[in-house]
Amino acid sequence: MSHFNFVIPLNRDDLFEASSRNQYTVENVYNTRDLKIKLQDCTIGVQQQGAEFVLNEGFDVIFSLLQEYHKNATFDMKQQGFDIVVRGMGSLVDSLALVLNSGQLLETDDRVSQLNCMKMMLYLFCQLVEMVDMEQASAVDAVTGAKQKGKKKTNKDDDFTWDWDQERLRAVTLLYNLVQLNLNTLFDPPMMEEEVINLIASTMFKILENPVMAFQNKRDVRLSIMQVLGTVNKKYNYTLSCSLKFIQHLKHFEHLVSVLGQATEVLVKDFNCTSMVMELVREISRIDTKELARDTSGTRSYSLFLVDLAERLPESMKPSVSLLTAHLDGESYSMRKCVLGVLGEIVAKVLSGEDLDENGKDDRDSFLDCLEDHVHDIHAHVRSHVLQIWGKLCKDKCIPLSRQHSVLELAAGRLQDKSSNVRKAAVQLLTTLLESNPFAAKLQTMELEIRLKEEEVKLREMDPEETVDPVEHWNNMESKVLEGIKKELENEEETESEKVWEKATVGEICERISGFLEKNAFAKALSLLKDAQTEIPEEISFKLEETEAMEENATDDKSDEEENATDDKSDENDSDDEDTGAKKANEKTQEESQKLMKIFKKIFFTVKRTPEPSMSQSQNQSQEELNKQRMLVQYLTDSVKFSKIIHKSLPIVAQLLGSKQSTDILEAIDFFVSAFEFGVLNAMIGVRRMLALIWSRESTIKDAVVGAYKRLYINVESNSVRSASAAISQNLIALIVGATLGELTSMEKLVSEFVASKDIGKGVFTVLWEYFTGVLPGSRPEDARAAITLLGMCALSEVSLITSNIQVIVDHGLGEKGQLDFRLAQHACQALLRMVPTKLKQDDPNPPTKFEAEHQIFQQLEKLLVDGVEFKQDQHYMPMAKNALMVIYQLGESPDTFASEIIKKVCLKIRSKQQAVVTVAPAGGDWKVDTYILSRLCFLAGQVALCQLNYLDVNVFNELKRRNHMREVKVEKDKKEKKDLEKKKAKSALQRSTALETPRNANQEEDDMSCVGAEADDAEAEFIRHVCEKEILFGPTLLTALTPVILSICSNPTKYPNSDLRASASLALSKFMLVSSEFCDKHLQLLFTVLEKATEPVIRANLIIALGDLSFRFPNTVEPWTPRMYARLHDDSISVRSNTLTVLTHLILNDMIKVKGQISDMAFCIVDEDSRISGLAKLFFSELSKKGNTLYNVMPDIVSRLSDPEKGIVEDNFRMIMKYIIGLIEKDKLLESLVEKLCHRFRATRTERQWRDIAYCLSLFPYSDRSIKKLADNFPCWSDKLHEDSVYDSICVIFAGVKKGVGVAVGGAGRGEAKQLMEELETKVEEARAKGVVDHTAEKNAQAAKDGKKKGKKGGEEGARKGKRRSGEKGKKRVESSDSEEEEEEEQDDAETVPEERTGKSVDESDEEEPRGKRGKAGKRGKKIESSDEESEEVSVPEKRGGGKRGMEVEKSAKKGKKRVEEDQIDSEDDFQDKRVRRGGRKK
């Protein structure tokens, strides 16, 4: 059966033609009908012959099935065919195993037969497995793995009857069993053909292409495929091709990232394919960077695969890093992320141990340096990814201690990144660094610094000479010692001698000599040494050793010989005796000093050497302690530095709490929670700022805030409920103390949330009551105030806390403690007010809770208010009085009577005190009252008036409505009962007769009732209004009696200079005015006078708020005075400006006052020096822009008023304001209309500054084709202003923007039309510009000549110059210029240039400050000059000498002007300028 040779084809059609001799070809291809019969035969054949059935006609049958698979083959045929090939493959594996494992050599025919059988069977098997798997994959959802819905089966057998997952696993197992055999022996030479390997591997990869292979439940199949690939790689050297296959599949199949990563791990670890990783990395590194930047999906797969590989095989990836680092400079940000991720994984898993060698440390440092560099990568995704890598390294404790601070500073630097993802990652890294810091559990900077100083002092005490090296010390002092010894030896005078004292040891003598040497006392050191040599001659420390002595003796002998030789010579030269003697003396001194230096050096090192061996143990101990102390100091130094960097980043993270991105807010909350737990200085700033986020509309932020405070203040670790409650109470009290009003309001919401969720329970309430009553030991007065405040907050969710403890509040809050602490009484009143429902219901059958006037609450309040007036030490009387009066009016019966009694008693108290001081009042004299008492009386009067108004408007009106409602309900109930009774008694005939009338009558009665109810409400409202208007402040009332006092104080600031008194009186006056419109109208002028004339900012700030309330209550009355309110926007005080802006913002946005031209004053606040005011002004205009066309309507007035020279606004400020406001208008039609309106404004302008401002505003608009048309249509309005450089520049900016497509519709269909229109307009602009420059220059010259003539007449010029002037006056006519004073001054300055003009020089030479761009071509003599006035006259330029030359000069000047303008334009106008230059060249 070896008559043919089967070749595995590349394409199925190749089997129809033989490319070589004896090659197998398919002869019979069966149709579907025949195929059914043939498959039956094959089934029998495979049962009888096994795999060899393919050698007969079995191959053609299965091949025919492959051909018909996607055409006409049924599922039964497919399943039958698959069963045949599976059975055949099983038989093949078994038969080959017997043959190949027997160890016998195969005959050639048998070998060829087995080989053909194997290849044919393998080909059919692999082809059919691929087809079935592909078909099954198309029927399965790639995401869920379930069968796709919506496909109806056309036949009941249109599906396989077996589970494909099991069959697929069975098929892969068969291939695994096949490749385990020694198949090489079937080939000649014994090496498996590449086609067979590729066939098996391709089938494995085809199966992996199915998206469901990434699912967890396909793990067994995946592992089997990996085993097949591993065996092929190991036995048949398929590694390189496998790597290429991996790369190809990664590019096209994203789901294979983790699968192939796992496969690579298996191949490397289980099959020892170590070169696999290097091959994969090399192939990816060879991909062109431009292609990586284009193919984002493939690049993403590569990057994820490499990072996954680094996680699985970091050791194998480390040698390949050099191939990837080139991508760090590539265009693809995904590859940069990938490489950095690989570096991070290698550092974390390979280069993080303590036992790294020097090379490992160098690699780690270079990798970390690379990660640090890319924190500043150009792409935000890379920056955020690097910060995440650092966070992971920090959690794994892989960042060296020396890098902690640099990483922390890098993270802090990214907190203000423009990308929210980067900011989020930066805050996360900061939090991770803080939580994983190796320094301290509590990073309290001040405490750490104090401890550091203490430890540094200890270190200095333990090692005072830590840095002194004996050798270095001797080298530094050696030259001084030698010089000093020489000087002493040469000095023959007796010096103070040092003797050896009794019982002196050698060591003590040496120490003293050494001390003398260090102190430069060389004479004493020398004297003591000589005496020691005399007293202790045998001591070797004071003489040279034997070797040194022998060297010295040899030197002496040599010197003696030299001396003898010198003596012989001296006989010949007697004249040199004196010189020789001096030389000998010097040499002797030198030798002696050298000997002494050696001895001194020996003594010095003896003293400074290490202690004796007997002291070694204690010395070792002290050295260990010294090393420990040094480490402690270094640790504290690092801790302080770390803490300071964290503290430095706190304000930036606090800013993120106000971010628009929720991710910023959530991460900032987490950071501040961690910072607070670690005791970071000023972390409380962020914790308090988080409170305001409790009002956030986003549930995630609100939940995060509640969770943060729960973690910080509620979740405490304790052994008992009592101690836990005490700890929670202490935490909450600490949060209350020092909180602002806004923070307290937010805390109310937060605490009520905790009470509602039972996180704050009865145990905490009990402890808070103990703090309030002072029962708890160690409680302070501020703790009592905080406790009652917290109890009031808890009462929002559980009001029974207050109602059941009224007596406790009265006794401890309003009793003796309250009389000595007004703030405690104030908070107690606030707690009592919690009993008042927030909203009164009309249908509530029960009236609101009220107490009799004799109740202890009011008796204590009366005592507080009356007796407390004279208690000057406590400055919190007024806030207490405000809350006390609110309690009286909200909880008391007849509060007006009770309040009037209180004021009467206060007045009687004042009077009795005055009578006690002055027994007899002077006739016609005034009582003298302390200002603080009078101030408090005014406050009481004003607050009573306000409370009375609120009581009538809200409480009384709602109570009347409630009673009316109850009355109506009762009437309806009675009528219903009556009707029911009548129906029971009535007869059927009467029922029928009334049936026609009842509905009509009933409806009529209901209508009447509804009318009565509405009329009753109106009558009650009218009655209350009448009481407020006519009775409270007019007639015989107490407030009427106090009115003159308040008016007198407000009207006489010189008589009442005290600022607190006048502030209190002015506020009382404004509260009185809130009650009655008549009273308001009568005294409104006085109030505005006080507002404008008061020198104290606090009075002005208070009154502007009061005027806001008055505008809300009586808008028609206050409306004429609105400009005076706007005037306060220019107040010197920041607080006044801020309050004014806030009040006007609320009034305008709530439609209480009309938006008029004065809104320009609010626009001016955008450039206010105070950032808070500037931000509030921007917020106002942002909100105003959302209210229809309001901002559009006032825009021309804003431009006109702000550009008015009388306003005096700096031009730069004007531009900042308009740039912001114009940016808020987004509607195309409004923008087009504004362009037209601003163009018309040019006609009404008077100064060049106004021209510049309007032109700048025009340059800010985004231009569409219609906007450009509007600009072109109104060209005559601004064409005569183009000689002004700034105007011309703004028009050029418009053109440049249109060319770039910066506009609304310029980039769309209208682009061509806009471009054509713009080019026409550009030509007009250039012509008008050239003409305008010439005309303007000529006008200036004529005006200068005119002014020069007038000046010459007055000065009495010389006759010759007079003659010239007369000849020049022949053609003179009067020139009219602008009426503004500024232009007249310029013209007078220009008059000085006339003498130079007469000499024939250029007219423009003297005008150095005039921009060259204003000059153009000069016209001929007699040219008309256009004046800036509407009534311009035709003026001819006077003929002068050298006129022709001057014309040439002007023309040159015009050319220079054009060049100057071109240089001044911004880069965005380059295209336009080039075209303009070319056009100018053509004109020339």
Side-chain angles (χ1 to χ4, degrees), residues 909-919 926-930:
K909 195 175 186 68
I910 296 171
R911 185 177 182 85
S912 61
K913 183 179 179 181
Q914 294 302 321
Q915 288 176 344
V917 174
V918 182
T919 55
D926 295 331
W927 294 106
K928 290 188 177 180
V929 185
D930 290 335

Side-chain angles (χ1 to χ4, degrees), residues 127 276 330 418 434 455 458 526 531 546 609 770 795 819 918 1118 1165 1193 1276 1313 1403 1429 1444 1447 1482:
Q127 287 286 307
M276 183 86 174
K418 63 182 180 181
L434 180 61
E455 299 300 334
K458 285 184 184 179
L526 195 58
D531 192 57
E546 292 183 1
R609 72 181 179 182
E770 290 175 2
Q819 291 172 3
V918 182
V1118 182
C1165 292
N1193 293 333
E1313 185 182 349
V1403 179
D1429 268 348
R1482 288 196 297 270

Side-chain angles (χ1 to χ4, degrees), residues 31 93 179 192 238 245 267 299 355 679 698 734 817 857 957 1107 1293 1310 1351:
N31 57 28
V93 172
V179 295
M192 186 181 278
Y238 187 67
K245 279 280 190 180
L267 293 175
T299 307
D355 53 348
E698 294 189 34
K817 289 183 181 178
I857 295 176
F957 184 61
L1107 282 167
V1293 168
K1351 191 172 182 181

Side-chain angles (χ1 to χ4, degrees), residues 309-374:
L309 215 55
E311 290 178 6
R312 298 175 185 274
L313 302 166
E315 289 282 359
S316 302
M317 281 293 290
K318 185 186 170 188
S320 310
V321 167
S322 58
L323 297 172
L324 293 173
T325 49
H327 288 290
L328 288 175
D329 299 323
E331 297 178 12
S332 174
Y333 74 89
S334 296
M335 288 305 295
R336 293 204 297 277
K337 284 173 59 178
C338 157
V339 178
L340 295 168
V342 169
L343 297 181
E345 291 295 335
I346 293 173
V347 170
K349 296 183 177 177
V350 180
L351 303 174
S352 59
E354 294 291 335
D355 53 348
L356 286 177
D357 57 5
E358 288 301 319
N359 292 333
K361 289 180 180 178
D362 291 343
D363 290 342
R364 180 194 64 191
D365 292 341
S366 63
F367 289 177
L368 293 178
D369 287 340
C370 192
L371 288 173
E372 280 189 8
D373 293 342
H374 283 272

Side-chain angles (χ1 to χ4, degrees), residues 934-978:
L934 191 55
S935 175
R936 291 176 177 180
L937 176 62
C938 291
F939 177 81
L940 283 174
Q943 192 62 31
V944 166
L946 190 60
C947 287
Q948 186 70 25
L949 171 64
N950 185 65
Y951 176 69
L952 289 170
D953 257 359
V954 180
N955 297 64
V956 174
F957 184 61
N958 281 328
E959 178 61 17
L960 290 173
K961 288 175 71 176
R962 190 189 70 82
R963 291 179 181 179
N964 282 338
H965 179 73
M966 297 306 297
R967 198 179 299 116
E968 291 170 7
V969 170
K970 186 178 180 182
V971 169
E972 288 180 2
K973 187 178 180 182
D974 292 343
K975 284 188 176 182
K976 187 177 181 182
E977 291 176 355
K978 188 177 179 181

Side-chain angles (χ1 to χ4, degrees), residues 250-252 254 257 284 287-306 327 331-338:
L250 282 172
K251 182 176 182 179
H252 298 103
E254 292 186 13
V257 170
I284 293 176
I287 301 174
D288 187 22
T289 54
K290 293 182 179 179
E291 183 183 345
L292 289 172
R294 284 195 305 268
D295 182 17
T296 53
S297 61
T299 307
R300 191 185 307 113
S301 298
Y302 296 148
S303 61
L304 293 174
F305 172 72
L306 288 174
H327 288 290
E331 297 178 12
S332 174
Y333 74 89
S334 296
M335 288 305 295
R336 293 204 297 277
K337 284 173 59 178
C338 157

Side-chain angles (χ1 to χ4, degrees), residues 36 78 86 123 134 143 309 429 443 457 741 768 804 878 1003 1117 1255 1358 1432 1474:
K36 289 182 180 181
K78 295 174 184 177
V86 168
Y123 176 76
M134 190 182 301
V143 178
L309 215 55
L429 175 56
L443 292 170
V457 171
L741 182 60
L768 289 174
S804 58
M878 291 183 184
N1003 290 338
T1117 306
E1358 293 179 357
S1432 58
D1474 292 338

Side-chain angles (χ1 to χ4, degrees), residues 93-104 177 180-182 185:
V93 172
D94 293 339
S95 62
L96 284 177
L98 289 173
V99 172
L100 297 177
N101 293 334
S102 63
Q104 298 178 359
N177 293 334
Q180 288 296 318
L181 302 174
N182 186 16
T185 56

